[in-house]
Amino acid sequence: MPANMELLILPAAFALDLLAGDPRWLPHPVRWMGAAITRCEPFFRRRFASPARAGCYFAVFLIVATWLLAAAAVGLTRKWYPLAGWFLEIALVYYSLSARSLLQAGMDVFDALGAKGVAAGRRMVAHIVGRDVSRLDRSGVSRAALESVAENMVDGVIAPLFFAALGGAPLALTYKMINTLDSMVGYTNERYLLFGRAAARIDDAANWLPARLAVGLTAIGAGLTGFNARQAWRTGWRDGRLHASPNAGFAEAAFAGALRVRLGGPNVYHGRIVAKPWIGATLKDVQPGDIVRAGVLMLTTATLAMLVLWSIRALIWL
């Protein structure tokens, strides 16, 4: 297949995501991944006495199987029907992206706050965050939505594009399996503390570089959109390490600096107050309008990520 067609895969998939988002009626590989995780967990728990060992083999099996299946599907389709293989790879990379979904989730919270008030905003933001939202005021709801947009930009856009640039659709889908495993079993509760440890560590490793790329990309995006680029860079590197996650704080901190708002802080999870540090502690509280500004910054940063990683893809292929 001509190299120029190969180079269209990333921008075509990104454009498709911005146009179509994630229609509920469309079959989605991530849902299949979730079903595979649910079905495989009991087998591996029965097979190994040690929960940590069971979880390790469980995670490695699903990650390797995802790559093998995706690589076989793309490779065989390309061999028999080259054009169909090209379209398949675009579709699979598209499935790994969620820029439009992130934007829509944030705007749904903003619209609910504006049209129906705080109670409606709480109900809407509860769909995208894990914290207890019952006591959040207007600023707290806005902060939760903004944090979700910023944090999920990494695993919903930058990281999938990063792995697609390095290894095409098979590697992008492999990353999505890693990310889905972490979201389903990477908890520190009694059930998954040991069993989910390997999945969580693999997800941390996979997101390490994309999370840090997000700081520079967000700073550039802030400069292009009229936000505070210097503050995005400084706060991103200064406060990004304050988050309990080794990766999640970097994008949040960069967004906090760019929009000059403070994120993080104490939140309630499962009835227990978790005293998280403030990110951008000296800045102002988040207001509903900041959700819109975060959406603009996210789309700009996502587009920059696509262009930069598309260039890397071009260097690999040319």
PDB file of all heavy atoms in Angstrom, residues 226-241:
ATOM      1  N   GLY A 226      -5.130  31.557  23.619  1.00  0.00           N
ATOM      2  CA  GLY A 226      -5.234  32.765  24.422  1.00  0.00           C
ATOM      3  C   GLY A 226      -5.238  32.530  25.914  1.00  0.00           C
ATOM      4  O   GLY A 226      -5.495  33.466  26.692  1.00  0.00           O
ATOM      5  N   PHE A 227      -4.947  31.297  26.343  1.00  0.00           N
ATOM      6  CA  PHE A 227      -4.839  31.022  27.763  1.00  0.00           C
ATOM      7  C   PHE A 227      -3.380  31.216  28.200  1.00  0.00           C
ATOM      8  O   PHE A 227      -2.554  31.661  27.416  1.00  0.00           O
ATOM      9  CB  PHE A 227      -5.348  29.618  28.069  1.00  0.00           C
ATOM     10  CG  PHE A 227      -6.778  29.400  27.642  1.00  0.00           C
ATOM     11  CD1 PHE A 227      -7.136  28.298  26.863  1.00  0.00           C
ATOM     12  CD2 PHE A 227      -7.766  30.291  27.997  1.00  0.00           C
ATOM     13  CE1 PHE A 227      -8.446  28.096  26.456  1.00  0.00           C
ATOM     14  CE2 PHE A 227      -9.090  30.112  27.597  1.00  0.00           C
ATOM     15  CZ  PHE A 227      -9.426  29.005  26.826  1.00  0.00           C
ATOM     16  N   ASN A 228      -3.071  30.854  29.430  1.00  0.00           N
ATOM     17  CA  ASN A 228      -1.758  31.169  29.991  1.00  0.00           C
ATOM     18  C   ASN A 228      -0.778  30.019  29.756  1.00  0.00           C
ATOM     19  O   ASN A 228      -0.744  29.051  30.518  1.00  0.00           O
ATOM     20  CB  ASN A 228      -1.888  31.464  31.487  1.00  0.00           C
ATOM     21  CG  ASN A 228      -0.660  32.150  32.042  1.00  0.00           C
ATOM     22  OD1 ASN A 228       0.464  31.767  31.752  1.00  0.00           O
ATOM     23  ND2 ASN A 228      -0.887  33.194  32.840  1.00  0.00           N
ATOM     24  N   ALA A 229       0.024  30.121  28.715  1.00  0.00           N
ATOM     25  CA  ALA A 229       0.954  29.051  28.350  1.00  0.00           C
ATOM     26  C   ALA A 229       2.044  28.876  29.408  1.00  0.00           C
ATOM     27  O   ALA A 229       2.393  27.753  29.782  1.00  0.00           O
ATOM     28  CB  ALA A 229       1.579  29.344  26.987  1.00  0.00           C
ATOM     29  N   ARG A 230       2.602  30.000  29.883  1.00  0.00           N
ATOM     30  CA  ARG A 230       3.695  29.908  30.864  1.00  0.00           C
ATOM     31  C   ARG A 230       3.212  29.265  32.155  1.00  0.00           C
ATOM     32  O   ARG A 230       3.899  28.417  32.731  1.00  0.00           O
ATOM     33  CB  ARG A 230       4.256  31.303  31.132  1.00  0.00           C
ATOM     34  CG  ARG A 230       5.390  31.314  32.143  1.00  0.00           C
ATOM     35  CD  ARG A 230       5.986  32.698  32.292  1.00  0.00           C
ATOM     36  NE  ARG A 230       6.622  33.140  31.052  1.00  0.00           N
ATOM     37  CZ  ARG A 230       7.248  34.300  30.914  1.00  0.00           C
ATOM     38  NH1 ARG A 230       7.311  35.150  31.931  1.00  0.00           N
ATOM     39  NH2 ARG A 230       7.797  34.621  29.767  1.00  0.00           N
ATOM     40  N   GLN A 231       2.019  29.662  32.600  1.00  0.00           N
ATOM     41  CA  GLN A 231       1.483  29.090  33.828  1.00  0.00           C
ATOM     42  C   GLN A 231       1.149  27.609  33.642  1.00  0.00           C
ATOM     43  O   GLN A 231       1.302  26.804  34.573  1.00  0.00           O
ATOM     44  CB  GLN A 231       0.228  29.847  34.263  1.00  0.00           C
ATOM     45  CG  GLN A 231      -0.269  29.516  35.656  1.00  0.00           C
ATOM     46  CD  GLN A 231       0.600  30.130  36.735  1.00  0.00           C
ATOM     47  OE1 GLN A 231       1.218  31.167  36.544  1.00  0.00           O
ATOM     48  NE2 GLN A 231       0.666  29.467  37.888  1.00  0.00           N
ATOM     49  N   ALA A 232       0.698  27.232  32.450  1.00  0.00           N
ATOM     50  CA  ALA A 232       0.409  25.821  32.167  1.00  0.00           C
ATOM     51  C   ALA A 232       1.672  24.987  32.318  1.00  0.00           C
ATOM     52  O   ALA A 232       1.660  23.909  32.927  1.00  0.00           O
ATOM     53  CB  ALA A 232      -0.162  25.674  30.759  1.00  0.00           C
ATOM     54  N   TRP A 233       2.776  25.473  31.755  1.00  0.00           N
ATOM     55  CA  TRP A 233       4.050  24.753  31.823  1.00  0.00           C
ATOM     56  C   TRP A 233       4.539  24.663  33.273  1.00  0.00           C
ATOM     57  O   TRP A 233       4.916  23.587  33.752  1.00  0.00           O
ATOM     58  CB  TRP A 233       5.067  25.464  30.943  1.00  0.00           C
ATOM     59  CG  TRP A 233       6.439  24.872  30.972  1.00  0.00           C
ATOM     60  CD1 TRP A 233       7.502  25.283  31.730  1.00  0.00           C
ATOM     61  CD2 TRP A 233       6.902  23.756  30.210  1.00  0.00           C
ATOM     62  NE1 TRP A 233       8.593  24.503  31.479  1.00  0.00           N
ATOM     63  CE2 TRP A 233       8.255  23.550  30.554  1.00  0.00           C
ATOM     64  CE3 TRP A 233       6.310  22.909  29.273  1.00  0.00           C
ATOM     65  CZ2 TRP A 233       9.016  22.533  29.991  1.00  0.00           C
ATOM     66  CZ3 TRP A 233       7.070  21.894  28.700  1.00  0.00           C
ATOM     67  CH2 TRP A 233       8.408  21.711  29.066  1.00  0.00           C
ATOM     68  N   ARG A 234       4.527  25.788  33.967  1.00  0.00           N
ATOM     69  CA  ARG A 234       5.052  25.813  35.339  1.00  0.00           C
ATOM     70  C   ARG A 234       4.202  24.961  36.282  1.00  0.00           C
ATOM     71  O   ARG A 234       4.739  24.166  37.065  1.00  0.00           O
ATOM     72  CB  ARG A 234       5.103  27.254  35.847  1.00  0.00           C
ATOM     73  CG  ARG A 234       6.185  28.104  35.208  1.00  0.00           C
ATOM     74  CD  ARG A 234       6.135  29.519  35.760  1.00  0.00           C
ATOM     75  NE  ARG A 234       7.239  30.346  35.258  1.00  0.00           N
ATOM     76  CZ  ARG A 234       7.380  31.625  35.503  1.00  0.00           C
ATOM     77  NH1 ARG A 234       6.482  32.263  36.240  1.00  0.00           N
ATOM     78  NH2 ARG A 234       8.406  32.307  35.008  1.00  0.00           N
ATOM     79  N   THR A 235       2.902  25.136  36.228  1.00  0.00           N
ATOM     80  CA  THR A 235       2.035  24.393  37.138  1.00  0.00           C
ATOM     81  C   THR A 235       2.020  22.909  36.778  1.00  0.00           C
ATOM     82  O   THR A 235       1.965  22.051  37.663  1.00  0.00           O
ATOM     83  CB  THR A 235       0.597  24.954  37.095  1.00  0.00           C
ATOM     84  OG1 THR A 235       0.640  26.361  37.316  1.00  0.00           O
ATOM     85  CG2 THR A 235      -0.281  24.308  38.155  1.00  0.00           C
ATOM     86  N   GLY A 236       2.090  22.613  35.488  1.00  0.00           N
ATOM     87  CA  GLY A 236       2.113  21.222  35.061  1.00  0.00           C
ATOM     88  C   GLY A 236       3.262  20.451  35.670  1.00  0.00           C
ATOM     89  O   GLY A 236       3.087  19.345  36.207  1.00  0.00           O
ATOM     90  N   TRP A 237       4.455  21.028  35.626  1.00  0.00           N
ATOM     91  CA  TRP A 237       5.631  20.337  36.161  1.00  0.00           C
ATOM     92  C   TRP A 237       5.743  20.468  37.682  1.00  0.00           C
ATOM     93  O   TRP A 237       6.231  19.556  38.349  1.00  0.00           O
ATOM     94  CB  TRP A 237       6.896  20.866  35.500  1.00  0.00           C
ATOM     95  CG  TRP A 237       7.002  20.457  34.059  1.00  0.00           C
ATOM     96  CD1 TRP A 237       6.985  21.267  32.971  1.00  0.00           C
ATOM     97  CD2 TRP A 237       7.105  19.114  33.557  1.00  0.00           C
ATOM     98  NE1 TRP A 237       7.070  20.524  31.811  1.00  0.00           N
ATOM     99  CE2 TRP A 237       7.152  19.207  32.145  1.00  0.00           C
ATOM    100  CE3 TRP A 237       7.157  17.860  34.146  1.00  0.00           C
ATOM    101  CZ2 TRP A 237       7.251  18.080  31.322  1.00  0.00           C
ATOM    102  CZ3 TRP A 237       7.251  16.728  33.333  1.00  0.00           C
ATOM    103  CH2 TRP A 237       7.302  16.854  31.943  1.00  0.00           C
ATOM    104  N   ARG A 238       5.265  21.574  38.221  1.00  0.00           N
ATOM    105  CA  ARG A 238       5.377  21.777  39.674  1.00  0.00           C
ATOM    106  C   ARG A 238       4.368  20.925  40.450  1.00  0.00           C
ATOM    107  O   ARG A 238       4.707  20.284  41.451  1.00  0.00           O
ATOM    108  CB  ARG A 238       5.150  23.252  40.008  1.00  0.00           C
ATOM    109  CG  ARG A 238       5.391  23.609  41.484  1.00  0.00           C
ATOM    110  CD  ARG A 238       4.865  25.005  41.782  1.00  0.00           C
ATOM    111  NE  ARG A 238       3.416  25.061  41.684  1.00  0.00           N
ATOM    112  CZ  ARG A 238       2.736  26.180  41.390  1.00  0.00           C
ATOM    113  NH1 ARG A 238       3.366  27.316  41.145  1.00  0.00           N
ATOM    114  NH2 ARG A 238       1.411  26.138  41.333  1.00  0.00           N
ATOM    115  N   ASP A 239       3.111  20.936  39.991  1.00  0.00           N
ATOM    116  CA  ASP A 239       2.035  20.285  40.747  1.00  0.00           C
ATOM    117  C   ASP A 239       1.623  18.940  40.174  1.00  0.00           C
ATOM    118  O   ASP A 239       0.804  18.235  40.794  1.00  0.00           O
ATOM    119  CB  ASP A 239       0.804  21.194  40.796  1.00  0.00           C
ATOM    120  CG  ASP A 239       1.049  22.452  41.620  1.00  0.00           C
ATOM    121  OD1 ASP A 239       2.150  22.566  42.196  1.00  0.00           O
ATOM    122  OD2 ASP A 239       0.142  23.308  41.672  1.00  0.00           O
ATOM    123  N   GLY A 240       2.138  18.578  38.999  1.00  0.00           N
ATOM    124  CA  GLY A 240       1.722  17.318  38.389  1.00  0.00           C
ATOM    125  C   GLY A 240       2.039  16.109  39.234  1.00  0.00           C
ATOM    126  O   GLY A 240       1.335  15.097  39.175  1.00  0.00           O
ATOM    127  N   ARG A 241       3.073  16.207  40.052  1.00  0.00           N
ATOM    128  CA  ARG A 241       3.487  15.082  40.897  1.00  0.00           C
ATOM    129  C   ARG A 241       2.719  15.028  42.222  1.00  0.00           C
ATOM    130  O   ARG A 241       2.928  14.096  43.016  1.00  0.00           O
ATOM    131  CB  ARG A 241       4.991  15.169  41.182  1.00  0.00           C
ATOM    132  CG  ARG A 241       5.847  15.031  39.938  1.00  0.00           C
ATOM    133  CD  ARG A 241       7.321  15.265  40.236  1.00  0.00           C
ATOM    134  NE  ARG A 241       8.143  15.098  39.043  1.00  0.00           N
ATOM    135  CZ  ARG A 241       8.355  16.034  38.134  1.00  0.00           C
ATOM    136  NH1 ARG A 241       7.785  17.221  38.283  1.00  0.00           N
ATOM    137  NH2 ARG A 241       9.107  15.808  37.074  1.00  0.00           N
TER     138      ARG A 241
END
